[in-house]
Amino acid sequence: MRDRAGIPSAPQAPATPDPTVTTLAVLLIGPAGAGKTSVAKYWADHRRVPTAHISLDDVREWVRSGFADPQTGWNDNSEAQYRLARRTCGFAARNFLANGISCVLDDAVFPDRPVVGLGGWKRHVGPGLLPVVLLPGLDVVLERNAERSGNRRLSDEEVARIHGRMAGWYGSGLPIIDNSQLDVPETARILDDVLTRAIASPPKW
């Protein structure tokens, strides 16, 4: 007697990707005062897999004598130092990723200015980089900027100008988190939700 043919089981739905245990390269974008660095540090600190935080501003300020501060004017020298810092961040990120360590980078990337745009990050880190925009309201970034000191603190006029240009990310297809009413842990939790969707369906950029 022949065995009865088994009834084929329904195909299993693909498992939802878990960003907390996946090796990732994430780029947090936003204006000064958006909370990029605070969120990046918290997110990196609370992951279940090794994760590094790389801040472009920190790397750019490794230059001590001869530092070209963009706040005093964007020129050939400050642009060259920015490009160098971005390449350095990209090299570090690739090195960490090659050794199984995730990375979260943060930078004030402008949607309408190629020299400080996404193209360089894609070249230096790779096409798997997941960009996410943090964009709270202007009143929030002004308040947070006022708490800064040293060359990290910008004038209110400069903050407003940068924030206005960041609005160009709306309609870009990149995920945007308005963290105006969110604390750092809440923003990090939403970042994980956003990354879950981005892993499953990477944004086109």
Side-chain angles (χ1 to χ4, degrees):
M1 182 177 178
R2 291 188 302 177
D3 293 337
R4 296 176 60 188
I7 300 173
S9 58
Q12 291 185 338
T16 302
D18 183 352
T20 66
V21 294
T22 304
T23 301
L24 300 173
V26 179
L27 174 64
L28 284 186
I29 299 166
K36 301 184 299 296
T37 299
S38 297
V39 171
K41 286 181 176 178
Y42 183 93
W43 185 78
D45 284 343
H46 291 82
R47 299 196 76 223
R48 289 185 283 162
V49 293
T51 304
H53 169 230
I54 304 172
S55 169
L56 181 127
D57 280 345
D58 287 348
V59 173
R60 193 165 47 83
E61 291 171 7
W62 286 353
V63 178
R64 307 305 297 178
S65 298
F67 175 64
D69 190 345
Q71 292 184 44
T72 62
W74 187 264
N75 53 43
D76 290 346
N77 199 16
S78 57
E79 180 177 320
Q81 289 186 10
Y82 174 86
R83 289 179 182 272
L84 178 59
R86 187 170 59 184
R87 287 197 303 273
T88 303
C89 290
F91 175 82
R94 291 197 311 274
N95 203 13
F96 280 122
L97 292 167
N99 286 276
I101 298 176
S102 292
C103 291
V104 55
L105 306 104
D106 68 80
D107 183 22
V109 181
F110 288 96
D112 60 348
R113 193 170 184 184
V115 68
V116 287
L118 281 176
W121 283 115
K122 181 183 284 190
R123 287 194 305 275
H124 298 311
V125 179
L129 181 66
L130 298 172
V132 178
V133 181
L134 293 185
L135 193 54
L138 176 58
D139 56 337
V140 174
V141 296
L142 285 170
E143 181 180 335
R144 292 174 182 170
N145 178 68
E147 297 171 355
R148 294 180 165 194
S149 60
N151 67 348
R152 295 290 179 93
R153 181 171 180 173
L154 307 178
S155 68
D156 286 353
E157 293 77 15
E158 182 71 1
V159 170
R161 185 184 68 82
I162 293 172
H163 185 273
R165 292 178 66 181
M166 290 288 172
W169 289 118
Y170 286 105
S172 69
L174 296 188
I176 296 176
I177 300 173
D178 180 348
N179 58 330
S180 299
Q181 305 300 320
L182 304 174
D183 62 15
V184 170
E186 290 171 326
T187 306
R189 179 183 57 77
I190 291 176
L191 176 60
D192 274 333
D193 293 341
V194 167
L195 291 172
T196 298
R197 295 192 292 272
I199 295 168
S201 180
K204 294 179 173 59
W205 58 287

